[in-house]
């Protein structure tokens, strides 16, 4: 008997293809989905055996399965454990899932078969399997470690990289609690962290893990939470041990360089392209008389440069930002009004691409040098003026007198009168005086002259003049174990140092006894000036006199070592040492 109207209506409304087959395997009913799925009209299938919908290679086994089902009637899926395929009218095969349900009527047992097309499911499963395989391959090839951890913090899976990093085997790691590997966080902190990741969905942080041998390694951990299978944490571990070592070394290097820069007596500054200060060491703060970079920028670096040098300062800055090096001497006025001369050397600072991003400038306070140069120039001018007076008032007068006397004698001779003895003696006296004046002027210009006894003779004459002019006991002694082998200009500077030292002892030290000693050794010439005056100012007191600075300046010019200190007797001892030429 055919299905009732109600059963027919139910089967036609089912989403799956539905067939009703009798005990012989013939199709007695099919719904509309069967036609859609298999491509047959209903008339083509009714009364035909079900095997026409089964591929040839499965038909014999299908008949056996159908017979077994009829003999053991119960509702169940067909082909448990097997992949089932159906055959369309056009000959194409497709995977199916079949569910069998027996019903009975007066004609016998009928079987309702629900057939579902698994093509899309199989395609999706294949795609998923492919993605899983790619995922496994990527995890296996990854240099970063990987773990999946359940919601309770237990390890579910690891990749080979984490096995290698940790020193554990995979079997040892699976089932371990993450607290057995984590070094930085406690078990309670891990639990709190996991809750936070569940709330946010992910996190990236740095920590440390413990290896099987007990050693630790620094890691950067990237965690993602998934609700899959009750909640899982998927974590990647990047070994940052070397990076941390490099960062620590970089910090140490930066601290080392910072210490060097901060202890550097010169001003070290870094300027942005628009001239703003980015870095300024302590010496620079002191030079510009500010307490911070912010204060310096607020005041304006260019405003500290004296107006007459601002254009050159701007030009130098632009040239350095263009890639050139620069050097400039200029004068500044500090925030508190102090004027200083600076000598600045600049170089461009470049980024990794080679682009100029800043200007590095090192400025040295050359105020004292400028003052010394000015003092030496003034002294030279004074000497020139003195020589001019001596030439005009001394030698000039002598030569004028000689000229007049010679003219008178010439006039007498033209009248037939011979010169008298007194007139000739007077002419000789005036000539000798002129010669003596010339020599004195020459000694003033070049006091050290090998033709007149060199440094030893010059010092001896200087001491004699000082003693006779100022009525101070000035003595000179030479200890010569070898000849002097120094260039004339070096000897001249030693003479000027001795002259300055004696003058200072008389003028400022109020000394009553001054001893000048020249020790000449095979490799060294040592000049000492010792006095019994009031001595130097107390330690730490500023020295405002130019005499000591000029002596240091001269010593530096010839590469000599100069020491100025308090003598044991309470006066001042000045020692200047200069190496002999080989």
């Amino acid at each position: 008997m055919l299905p009732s109207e109600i059963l027919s209506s139910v089967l036609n409304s089912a989403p799956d293809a539905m067939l009703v087959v009798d005990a012989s395997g013939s199709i007695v009913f099919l719904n509309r989905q069967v036609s859609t799925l298999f491509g047959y009209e209903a008339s083509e299938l009714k009364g035909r055996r079900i095997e026409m919908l089964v591929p040839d290679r499965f038909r014999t086994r299908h008949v056996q399965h159908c017979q077994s089902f009829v003999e053991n009637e119960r509702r169940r899926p067909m082909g448990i454990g097997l992949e089932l395929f159906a055959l369309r009218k056009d000959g194409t095969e497709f995977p199916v899932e079949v569910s069998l349900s027996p019903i009975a009527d007066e004609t016998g047992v009928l079987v309702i078969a629900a057939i579902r097309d698994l093509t899309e499911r199989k395609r999706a499963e294949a795609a998923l399997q492919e993605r899983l395989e790619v995922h496994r391959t990527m995890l296996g090839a990854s240099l970063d470690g990987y773990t999946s951890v359940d919601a309770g913090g237990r390890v579910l899976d690891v990749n080979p990289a984490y096995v290698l990093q940790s020193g554990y085997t995979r079997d040892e790691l699976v089932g371990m609690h993450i607290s057995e590997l984590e070094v930085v966080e406690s078990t309670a902190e891990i639990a709190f962290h996991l809750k936070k990741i569940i709330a946010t969905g992910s996190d990236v942080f740095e920590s440390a893990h413990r290896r099987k041998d007990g050693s630790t390694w620094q890691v950067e951990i990237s965690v993602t939470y998934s609700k899959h299978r009750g909640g899982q944490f998927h974590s990647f571990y990047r070994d940052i041990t070397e990076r941390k070592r490099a960062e620590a070394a970089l910090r140490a290097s930066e601290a080392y360089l910072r210490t060097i820069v901060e202890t550097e007596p010169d001003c070290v500054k870094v300027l942005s392209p628009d001239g703003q200060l980015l870095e300024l060491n302590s010496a620079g703060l002191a030079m510009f008389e500010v307490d911070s970079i912010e204060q310096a920028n607020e005041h304006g670096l260019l405003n500290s440069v004296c107006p007459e040098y601002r254009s050159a300062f701007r030009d130098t800055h632009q040239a350095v930002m263009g890639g050139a090096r620069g050097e400039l001497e200029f004068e500044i006025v500090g925030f508190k009004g102090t004027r200083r001369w600076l000598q600045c050397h600049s170089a461009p600072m470049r980024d990794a691409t080679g682009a100029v991003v800043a200007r590095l400038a090192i400025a040295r306070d050359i105020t004292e040098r400028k003052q010394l140069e000015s003092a030496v120039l003034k002294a030279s001018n004074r000497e020139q003026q003195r020589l001019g007076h001596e030439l005009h008032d001394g030698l000039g007068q002598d030569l004028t007198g000689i000229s007049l006397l010679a003219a008178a004698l010439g006039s007498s001779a033209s009248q037939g009168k011979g010169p008298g003895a007194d007139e000739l003696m007077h002419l000789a006296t005036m000539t000798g005086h002129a010669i003596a004046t010339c020599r004195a002027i020459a000694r003033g210009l070049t006091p050290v002259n090998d033709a007149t006894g060199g440094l030893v003779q010059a010092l001896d004459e200087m001491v004699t003049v000082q003693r006779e002019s100022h009525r101070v006991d000035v003595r000179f002694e030479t200890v010569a174990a070898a000849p002097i082998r120094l260039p004339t200009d070096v000897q001249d500077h030693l003479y000027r140092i001795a002259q300055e030292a004696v003058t200072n002892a008389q003028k400022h030290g109020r000394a009553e006894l001054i001893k000048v000693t020249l020790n000449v050794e095979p490799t060294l010439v040592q000049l000492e000036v010792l006095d019994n005056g009031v001595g130097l100012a107390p330690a730490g007191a500023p020295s405002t006199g130019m005499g000591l600075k000029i002596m240091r300046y001269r010593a530096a010019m010839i590469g000599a070592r100069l020491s100025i200190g308090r003598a044991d007797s309470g006066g001042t001892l000045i020692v200047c040492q200069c190496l002999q030429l080989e």
Side-chain angles (χ1 to χ4, degrees), residues 388-430:
H389 289 307
E390 289 185 3
L391 288 171
H392 179 271
D393 299 337
L395 183 60
Q397 294 299 322
D398 289 340
L399 293 177
T400 299
I402 293 172
S403 176
L404 292 173
L405 182 56
L409 293 175
S411 178
S412 297
S414 65
Q415 298 175 7
K417 298 178 181 179
D422 292 341
E423 291 175 322
L424 291 176
M425 287 299 297
H426 184 50
L427 180 62
T429 300
M430 293 178 67

Side-chain angles (χ1 to χ4, degrees), residues 344-531:
C344 185
H345 295 267
S346 302
M349 297 182 71
R350 304 177 185 272
D351 62 13
T353 66
V356 178
V357 295
R359 168 191 172 192
L360 172 64
I362 300 177
R364 174 165 295 174
D365 188 338
I366 59 170
T367 305
E368 183 174 303
R369 193 196 80 188
K370 286 288 187 179
Q371 291 173 344
L372 290 172
E373 289 174 352
S374 177
V376 170
L377 182 60
K378 289 178 181 178
S380 177
N381 289 336
R382 286 195 301 270
E383 185 68 11
Q384 289 179 4
Q385 291 173 3
R386 184 187 66 81
L387 291 174
H389 289 307
E390 289 185 3
L391 288 171
H392 179 271
D393 299 337
L395 183 60
Q397 294 299 322
D398 289 340
L399 293 177
T400 299
I402 293 172
S403 176
L404 292 173
L405 182 56
L409 293 175
S411 178
S412 297
S414 65
Q415 298 175 7
K417 298 178 181 179
D422 292 341
E423 291 175 322
L424 291 176
M425 287 299 297
H426 184 50
L427 180 62
T429 300
M430 293 178 67
T431 304
H433 190 271
I435 293 171
T437 302
C438 285
R439 287 175 177 170
I441 293 172
R443 281 197 300 274
L445 290 172
T446 55
V448 179
N449 193 317
D450 291 337
T452 58
L455 179 60
V456 174
Q457 183 64 32
L459 289 174
D460 186 59
E461 290 179 359
M462 183 270 294
V463 166
T464 300
V465 171
Q466 293 284 354
R467 182 172 58 245
E468 294 176 351
S469 301
H470 301 282
R471 300 186 182 280
V472 177
D473 187 4
V474 186
R475 305 173 186 176
F476 174 63
E477 180 183 5
T478 302
V479 180
I484 296 176
R485 300 190 308 279
L486 295 175
T488 302
D489 61 327
V490 174
Q491 295 184 51
D492 185 67
H493 279 293
L494 286 174
Y495 171 84
R496 299 296 182 185
I497 290 172
Q499 187 181 47
E500 188 70 42
V502 171
T503 301
N504 279 350
Q506 292 174 346
K507 184 177 179 180
H508 303 293
R510 300 191 295 276
E512 296 178 353
L513 174 63
I514 304 171
K515 294 181 179 179
V516 179
T517 305
L518 186 68
N519 292 299
V520 184
E521 300 177 2
T523 59
L524 185 73
V525 174
Q526 178 171 296
L527 172 69
E528 293 183 8
V529 180
L530 173 66
D531 68 67

Side-chain angles (χ1 to χ4, degrees), residues 246-257:
E247 289 175 353
L250 179 60
R251 285 193 298 271
S253 177
E254 288 176 345
Y256 177 73
L257 291 175

Side-chain angles (χ1 to χ4, degrees), residues 271-330:
L271 301 175
S272 66
D274 61 357
Q276 289 288 301
L277 281 167
L278 302 176
E279 296 286 345
L280 184 65
N281 68 344
S282 299
L285 293 173
M287 281 186 188
F288 289 96
E289 297 178 325
V290 293
D291 298 323
S292 65
I293 293 179
E294 291 74 20
Q295 186 182 12
N297 281 328
E298 183 178 353
H299 177 62
L301 180 63
L302 190 62
N303 291 332
S304 296
V305 179
C306 290
E308 59 268 31
Y309 298 102
R310 289 177 186 173
S311 177
F313 186 89
R314 281 192 292 263
D315 291 344
T316 300
H317 182 74
Q318 293 301 320
V320 173
M321 293 308 301
R325 290 177 174 267
E327 181 179 346
L328 181 67
E329 289 186 2
F330 57 97

Side-chain angles (χ1 to χ4, degrees), residues 51 55-65:
E51 280 77 26
D56 290 342
R57 65 185 183 281
F58 298 123
R59 287 178 180 174
T60 301
R61 187 168 59 182
H62 183 266
V63 172
Q64 295 172 353
H65 288 165

Side-chain angles (χ1 to χ4, degrees), residues 77-107:
M78 181 179 180
I80 297 175
L82 301 175
E83 287 192 353
L84 303 180
F85 289 87
L87 181 67
R88 292 190 178 93
K89 181 179 179 179
D90 62 7
T92 59
E93 297 182 9
F94 60 98
V96 293
E97 179 181 71
V98 182
S99 177
L100 303 177
S101 299
I103 59 173
D105 65 0
E106 63 275 11
T107 63

